[in-house]
Structures are given as C-alpha cells and as structure tokens.
Amino acid sequence: MKPQVSGVVSSKLRNDMLEVKFGDGTEGRLPFVWLRDNCQCPQCFSVEALGRKLLMDDLDVEVQPTEVEETMDGLMVKWSDGHQSEYSTNWLQNRSFTPTSRALHRERYALRREPWGAEHTMKNFDYNTLMSDDRVLLDWLLTMERKGSAMVKNAPKKDVAGPELIEHIAFVKQSHYGPHSPVINRPNSNNVAFTNAKLGLHNDLPAYEHMPGIIFIQCLAQHPGAGGESIVTDGLFAAEELRRKRPEDFKILSSTDMYFWDKGHANYSWEMPEFYKIAKFPVIKVNGNNEVVQIAVSNTTRDSHMDLPPQEVKKYYAAYKRFYIILSANAMTFKMEQGDMMTLDNVRCLHGRESYDADSQRHIETSYLDWDEARCRRRRLQEKFGCFI
Amino acid sequence: MKPQVSGVVSSKLRNDMLEVKFGDGTEGRLPFVWLRDNCQCPQCFSVEALGRKLLMDDLDVEVQPTEVEETMDGLMVKWSDGHQSEYSTNWLQNRSFTPTSRALHRERYALRREPWGAEHTMKNFDYNTLMSDDRVLLDWLLTMERKGSAMVKNAPKKDVAGPELIEHIAFVKQSHYGPHSPVINRPNSNNVAFTNAKLGLHNDLPAYEHMPGIIFIQCLAQHPGAGGESIVTDGLFAAEELRRKRPEDFKILSSTDMYFWDKGHANYSWEMPEFYKIAKFPVIKVNGNNEVVQIAVSNTTRDSHMDLPPQEVKKYYAAYKRFYIILSANAMTFKMEQGDMMTLDNVRCLHGRESYDADSQRHIETSYLDWDEARCRRRRLQEKFGCFI
C-alpha cells in the first residue's frame, strides 16, 4: 500500500538550517537554533500555560541535529545537546518562515487597515445585537481593525452604555477623566471639549503615551437645529496622501517629537482630583518599516513647549498645517442622533464637532477600549467560529 | 528712580522670529507663528481648561507682527491678522527655545534615568508612610523614574495591598490576569509564572503593545529554605553595555520586530475567560533619537513565529543570547520577605526567580501602574511642594 502523502517527506541539512519538503509540496527552511528553542516536549514547553519553559541560559545557539527523521506526523530531531524533539507537520508549516506563513501570522497579529476618504460611510451595528450575538461582535471587531470606524445604533439612554459594551468585549481603558466621561457644556471645565465650542479634528488623549485605542462616542442627547455636527476623518488616509504628495512634510511630521499636555482638576467625583499629563511623540508615528502606526493631533492639548531649535519651528508649522488641510479635506460631516454610538480607532481616525448653543442639553459620553484587548477578543472569536485567516 | 530690570528689555524682528532679551540678561528667539499660535488671551486659550481654543483652521503660518512693545510684564504683539497678544516674561522664558528651557521641559516630561549594575541596592520605603506622607510618595516616584526600582517594606498581608497603594497614586492598569494576580503554584496554570519553575529574567506582559509601566511585586508568603529567590537587573544598563561593546548586536535587537504571545483561559473568576494576545516590537525599542525607551524580554511568551527571513534567524539568536548574558551578569539576587513589595519599571528592569518546592505556600501578588499616571502624580506633587525642576 502506498503511504499517504502527508507529514514531512524530505529534509536536508544546509547552512544551519533544515530544508524540509512537506507532503503537500510546500517547503520550509527551519533554522537549527529556532527548532531547538521551540521544542514542544513537556520539559521545554507547557501545554497548560502555552509558554516556553526552556530557559535562555540553557539554549546553545550553536546546537546541531545529530539525527533527523521524517515521520507521517512531522519531524523528529535528536540534538547535539542530547535532547530529542518532535514537531507536528501543521505546527511546522505554520512557522516555516515562508512569505505565506509570515504573512498569515502578521494578520493574526493585526489586520491590514483599509484607508478611506470623505465618501466613506460607516457600517451600522445594532447595540443589542452586539451584546448578544458574538458573530456580529466579531464583524464589528474586524470592521474596526480594517476601517477604524463603525456606527452602533440604538444604544440605551444611560451614561454607562459605552462601558457596558466595552465590558462585554474586555474591560475599560481608564483615564483621569474616569471610566466614562460626559461631554457637555459645563462651567469651569477642565477640557475644552466640555464647552460648547467648535472642536477641530483631533485624537483623544494624546497627552497619554498610551493613547486609548478605540473611542466610543455615545449620543445621549443631540442639540436640535444647527450645531453639534460631528466631523470624522481617516488619519491613515491623510498621512499616506501627505507621504505621496509632500514627502518632505511627511518626514518632518514623522521624525519630530511633539509634546502634548493636559492639566486640570476634577469636574466629577470619580475623576482624579488633579492631573498633569505630558506625552511626547511625532504627530505621525511610524514603525521600523515606516508604516504609520499612530496619529496624534490635538490643537487643544498640543503643548506650547516645543523641543526644537527655533529656526525649525516655522517649517514644522507649515508641514503640520498642510497635513491638517488634507485631514479636513477628506473628512465627512454628519449629525449623531440620540442612541447613536460612534466607534473610532483613536490612534488612526480623528473626530471634531461644530459649536452649539451654550444652553443646549447636548450630552455625549465617551469611553475607551485598548487595541490589545480588542484584537485579543477578535482572535478568540475567530478561533471560536473557525474563521482564523 | 531706576526702573527694575525685568520683563523684556529689547526685541528685534529677524528671519520670522522675534529675538528678545529678558531683564535678567537671558535671550530667546521666538518664531512668529509659534507666538501667534500660543496667544494666551481668553479668545485663543482657556485658563479654565488650560487648553488652546485657537483652531488650526484659523492659524496663518505666514502671520507677522505689525507692532511689538516690550513691557515690564513681558511682551505685547499686534499681528497682521488684526489680533493682539500679550505674553508674560515668565511664560516666555519657560518656552524661549533655549537649550536650558528645552532641557527643563524634557525633565518635566520624564526624568533622566540612571542605569545601575549588580552592585545596586534598592532604596527602601515604608508602605504606611507612602500611604500617608506625600513627600515620601514623591521621593518614591522620583526614585522609580531615575532608578527604575525600589523596595516597599511592611506591606499589609492582603492580596489587594498593591492595588490599594496604586489607587492611592492613580489607578490600576488592568490586564487579562485581573487587577491583581496571585503568583502561586497552581494546577492547570495559564502562565508558567504560576508554577514552581525557575523563571528567567523577563519583563511582564510583553504580549501587550501597551506593556504595564510599573510592576508591584508583593510577597505575602515566602518559601522557607532554598528556592524562590528574586533576580533583578537593569535592562537599560545592559542595553547600553551592548550598544558599547557589540554595536552590531544592538542594531539587530533594536531594529528587528519580535512577536510575543500569551494565550490561555481564566484561573480565577475575575480574569477574562479566554485570552489570546500578540504584540510585536523590537526587544530593545529606541525612539527617534536612538534612546532606549523599552526593553521586552520574556522567554516564556516569546512567540515561536518569527517574521524574519530564515537566513537571519541564527544571527538574531546570537545577538539575543549575548544581550541575555549581559542582563544576567549584572543582575542582583536576593530573597523577598513577607511584607516586602518590590516595585520595578517594567519597561526597563527585568525580574526572575529561582524555582522552589512544588508544595510550597509561597505567595506573590503582582499589580501594575502605568507610567502616564505615575509621572502625572510626580508632576502634581512637585508642584504641590514647589520643587519642580
């Protein structure tokens, strides 16, 4: 009887790597030290904790296989340190250092974001369905990661509706404004948002190094007539526009640290009695691959202190203003209704609002959820529904 | 009578800047657009919210002064956009773009860290004094920022002692392990830490993009006899050693993203029922000025997925191992006693522990506080005691 074509069908040692061919024809190059480091035996790895038990002290970077056996289940390797390891085909293929396996894990980590301009329409979700149907919750999580924005309809008229939805997902990211924060016109306000003034496009809380990942903006009461309209734009879209059209501006904004600050006193009992935050990073934050990972824009909390030589300041402002114009030119304007709860990727999308009458009963509540927790829930739901990419 | 030498004594317009001389002889070069942007009048700035009201839409980057008047209190400027601004001497001097004023704000933002090696002794603080004496609390905050480590003695024997101290400072940074987490040997554990195994040097929760800033490690019961000793090292010190001695290794570790993951199920009711975290960043994270801002080392949660071409993997491991050897060579070893609570800068210092007997009653509790909140409290206390640098 012909053996099934599965497992590892051939392997060859070359350049500190095992070159393997799997039964389905795919190949992989597996570095020796990586294979030994990731031995899946109970001595090296805990299946209960899903964590590596092998200590760094005990890993020999020069470790070599002394014997390799291709099995129907995968690979067996005997090592120069006397240890013996077994690896399943599936485990190896998932981690075979091929462009495909690397790309798959990149998506498991974080989904590819899809930039959008002024023509964008937010996808609608129903509050109660999000609270009761995990498939819809997963759809919201996928939408938020890809589009950075979604509208939740029919939120209950209570100030903790945002936190309750967040607690259903994971838990609230607290700030010095409390677990949720009423955006209303109030006297002696500790934040310009808590007045009736127009608010320029901004991300929330850039005075935090750990800016909140997702903002939940719930409308408990809207201002009737003109005023109070929301303005929303995709900072990722604008940043890529800037990079394309004004690469020098992009360079300045992504390499120059700005301070943001937020100082004040409590308006409500659950707030900290006094706060004085300062954070410092570029307005456009990129990672080592020059990918945009965070936008931080806020005219309200942009610090008057600047850590620049004075001769570079005007050039900085000019770049910043041009970026702001792109942000504005690609924004959408709409008016939230009572029961609406807008959800935005706060390190990507910016929001603002038009001014409204001082004696309005307009009442917005904001609360936050971190991306660490949102992505965590997305992965768990993808596993639950067997739809992991 | 001779006028007092104060205020601004002279000013000159040059290259889009106002060159000013203050009464005390110091000078400053103040860019026009920056001055206009930071007008302190009630129309442009809210003294209640301490935030800028001037919108970016309304700022003209090419704005010019039409009239400048030096006053005993500071400066009066009339602008080409018709606006008029006044600035106090003190406000201007604080922001005069000189190396001194820039350095002062840098320290207000974050204190200079002082690296240390194996000879280091942690400063001792008393739990009850921290809870009752804000001057001592400020000393602890300053110590934590500079040294990244301190020992709190006489913590009460209850599992929420850490969270209570944190709530006295600001509020707890929650993770999927809950607001506090018992480190004990338990069956079917969701983390290798919750076993009796030796733990290599690590930072806590690198599977979070937003790694907790400060870890509170409280000893409720220590293992008698040999075992359970703590090992602590300064990652900043080791990273600078690596940069000096092996610049190529430093380059690899600071420019190559690593995945960290943490997957599991709840051990306790207040934990999330299931979690699946993945974060990605270099083991040594540097900012735009190539300063080390975060260390992320954890053999337990280092992901077996690596987003590298296979031919770069061995070189990476070799650099990582050499870094780990420096971390270990400069570590201190000691044994915590009941009532001790070690506090560490978790994005800088690493900790580990020796193994201990499986049936030990050893009980450690960990909880977290973010640097955003700790630095906030430090600034507020510095203001309170008039000792702002």
Side-chain angles (χ1 to χ4, degrees), chain A residues 68-289:
Chain A
V68 177
E69 194 182 310
E70 305 95 39
T71 69
M72 287 302 286
D73 300 322
L75 264 185
M76 188 283 294
V77 181
K78 286 188 179 164
W79 296 103
S80 53
D81 63 7
H83 198 74
Q84 178 172 329
S85 308
E86 285 179 52
Y87 310 90
S88 78
T89 309
N90 191 40
W91 189 94
L92 287 171
Q93 282 186 308
N94 262 326
R95 293 161 179 79
S96 55
F97 292 89
T98 59
T100 307
S101 73
R102 288 168 59 191
L104 280 175
H105 199 58
R106 239 174 273 147
E107 289 270 304
R108 207 172 289 138
Y109 159 61
L111 300 179
R112 222 183 343 259
R113 294 161 302 163
E114 299 162 10
W116 47 263
E119 77 296 344
H120 181 60
T121 310
M122 288 191 206
K123 186 162 179 173
N124 283 335
F125 293 86
D126 176 70
Y127 185 92
N128 292 307
T129 316
L130 278 178
M131 293 291 273
S132 60
D133 186 338
D134 276 355
R135 283 189 186 271
V136 177
L137 185 62
L138 174 57
D139 188 15
W140 175 83
L141 287 160
L142 297 169
T143 304
M144 288 304 294
E145 256 190 271
R146 289 180 183 133
K147 301 287 187 185
S149 60
M151 187 65 82
V152 178
K153 310 291 285 185
N154 309 315
K157 197 184 173 181
K158 55 180 180 181
D159 60 3
V160 294
E164 284 181 4
L165 177 53
I166 293 170
E167 294 289 338
H168 180 66
I169 302 162
F171 39 79
V172 168
K173 152 78 175 175
Q174 161 101 300
S175 83
H176 55 242
Y177 292 110
H180 62 98
S181 181
V183 180
I184 50 175
N185 187 23
R186 44 174 138 154
N188 195 23
S189 181
N190 59 7
N191 191 304
V192 174
F194 310 148
T195 68
N196 65 326
K198 175 182 167 84
L199 294 180
L201 289 164
H202 65 281
N203 308 94
D204 258 33
L205 303 198
Y208 272 78
E209 299 277 321
H210 287 181
M211 281 172 65
I214 301 178
I215 179 168
F216 292 66
I217 304 176
Q218 183 201 357
C219 179
L220 276 100
Q222 186 53 283
H223 178 68
E229 292 82 2
S230 298
I231 313 153
V232 173
T233 194
D234 183 4
L236 177 64
F237 178 89
E240 295 301 345
E241 280 279 293
L242 188 75
R243 174 162 20 204
R244 203 163 36 243
K245 292 182 177 165
R246 309 273 318 193
E248 197 47 48
D249 287 350
F250 184 89
K251 184 80 195 304
I252 290 170
L253 296 185
S254 62
S255 64
T256 312
D257 279 337
M258 275 298 105
Y259 289 117
F260 297 88
W261 76 307
D262 194 10
K263 192 174 175 181
H265 54 86
N267 278 124
Y268 281 77
S269 61
W270 38 255
E271 289 171 312
M272 291 173 73
E274 290 175 332
F275 50 85
Y276 190 173
K277 293 287 190 309
I278 308 178
K280 190 182 188 179
F281 32 60
V283 160
I284 300 175
K285 198 168 169 181
V286 297
N287 63 12
N289 301 322

Side-chain angles (χ1 to χ4, degrees), chain A residues 37 52 54 59 62 95 102 106 208 263 274 299 304 307 314 317 321 372-373 380 383, chain B residues 37 52 54 59 95 102 106 208-209 263 274 299 304 307 314 317 321 373 380 383:
Chain A
D37 180 42
R52 189 182 287 100
L54 179 65
L59 179 69
E62 300 296 338
R95 293 161 179 79
R102 288 168 59 191
R106 239 174 273 147
Y208 272 78
K263 192 174 175 181
E274 290 175 332
N299 230 39
S304 50
D307 199 355
K314 189 181 171 188
Y317 270 95
K321 174 98 183 186
D372 278 313
E373 305 305 339
R380 288 154 52 205
E383 280 201 328
Chain B
D37 180 43
R52 189 182 289 100
L54 180 65
L59 179 68
R95 293 160 179 80
R102 288 168 58 191
R106 239 174 273 148
Y208 272 79
E209 298 277 322
K263 192 174 175 182
E274 289 176 333
N299 230 41
S304 50
D307 199 356
K314 189 182 172 187
Y317 270 95
K321 174 98 184 187
E373 306 304 340
R380 289 155 50 205
E383 280 201 329

Side-chain angles (χ1 to χ4, degrees), chain B residues 104-115:
Chain B
L104 279 174
H105 199 58
R106 239 174 273 148
E107 288 270 303
R108 207 172 289 136
Y109 160 61
L111 300 178
R112 220 181 349 256
R113 294 160 304 163
E114 300 162 9

Side-chain angles (χ1 to χ4, degrees), chain A residues 16-17 29 31 33-34 37-38 45-46 48-59 61-62 91 94-95 97 102 105-106 108-109 169-171 173-176 188-192 198-200 207-211 257 259 261 263 265 272-280 289 299-300 302-311 313-314 317-318 320-321 324 328 370 372-373 376 379-380 383 388, chain B residues 16-17 29 31 33-34 37-38 45-46 48-59 61-62 91 94-95 97 102 105-106 108-109 169-171 173-176 188-192 198-200 207-211 257 259 261 263 265 272-280 289 299-300 302-311 313-314 317-318 320-321 324 328 370 372-373 376 379-380 383 388:
Chain A
D16 292 315
M17 283 184 256
R29 296 165 67 203
V33 61
W34 171 83
D37 180 42
N38 291 294
F45 187 80
S46 162
E48 292 84 28
L50 295 178
R52 189 182 287 100
K53 290 164 76 178
L54 179 65
L55 297 168
M56 200 60 207
D57 317 67
D58 298 332
L59 179 69
V61 176
E62 300 296 338
W91 189 94
N94 262 326
R95 293 161 179 79
F97 292 89
R102 288 168 59 191
H105 199 58
R106 239 174 273 147
R108 207 172 289 138
Y109 159 61
I169 302 162
F171 39 79
K173 152 78 175 175
Q174 161 101 300
S175 83
H176 55 242
N188 195 23
S189 181
N190 59 7
N191 191 304
V192 174
K198 175 182 167 84
L199 294 180
Y208 272 78
E209 299 277 321
H210 287 181
M211 281 172 65
D257 279 337
Y259 289 117
W261 76 307
K263 192 174 175 181
H265 54 86
M272 291 173 73
E274 290 175 332
F275 50 85
Y276 190 173
K277 293 287 190 309
I278 308 178
K280 190 182 188 179
N289 301 322
N299 230 39
T300 313
R302 189 163 44 78
D303 204 333
S304 50
H305 292 268
M306 290 177 88
D307 199 355
L308 284 181
Q311 62 274 16
V313 169
K314 189 181 171 188
Y317 270 95
Y320 186 74
K321 174 98 183 186
Y324 195 85
S328 303
D370 264 344
D372 278 313
E373 305 305 339
C376 174
R379 293 179 201 111
R380 288 154 52 205
E383 280 201 328
F388 229 127
Chain B
D16 292 316
M17 282 184 256
R29 296 165 67 202
V33 61
W34 172 83
D37 180 43
N38 291 295
F45 187 81
S46 162
E48 292 84 28
L50 296 178
R52 189 182 289 100
K53 290 163 76 178
L54 180 65
L55 297 169
M56 200 61 208
D57 317 68
D58 299 331
L59 179 68
V61 176
E62 299 297 337
W91 189 93
N94 262 326
R95 293 160 179 80
F97 291 90
R102 288 168 58 191
H105 199 58
R106 239 174 273 148
R108 207 172 289 136
Y109 160 61
I169 301 164
F171 39 79
K173 152 78 175 175
Q174 161 101 299
S175 82
H176 55 243
N188 195 21
S189 180
N190 59 7
N191 191 303
V192 173
K198 175 182 167 83
L199 294 179
Y208 272 79
E209 298 277 322
H210 287 182
M211 281 173 65
D257 278 338
Y259 290 117
W261 76 308
K263 192 174 175 182
H265 53 85
M272 291 173 74
E274 289 176 333
F275 51 85
Y276 189 174
K277 294 288 191 308
I278 309 177
K280 189 181 188 181
N289 301 320
N299 230 41
T300 313
R302 188 163 44 77
D303 203 334
S304 50
H305 291 268
M306 290 177 88
D307 199 356
L308 283 181
Q311 63 274 17
V313 169
K314 189 182 172 187
Y317 270 95
Y320 186 74
K321 174 98 184 187
Y324 195 85
S328 303
D370 264 344
D372 278 313
E373 306 304 340
C376 174
R379 292 179 201 110
R380 289 155 50 205
E383 280 201 329
F388 229 128

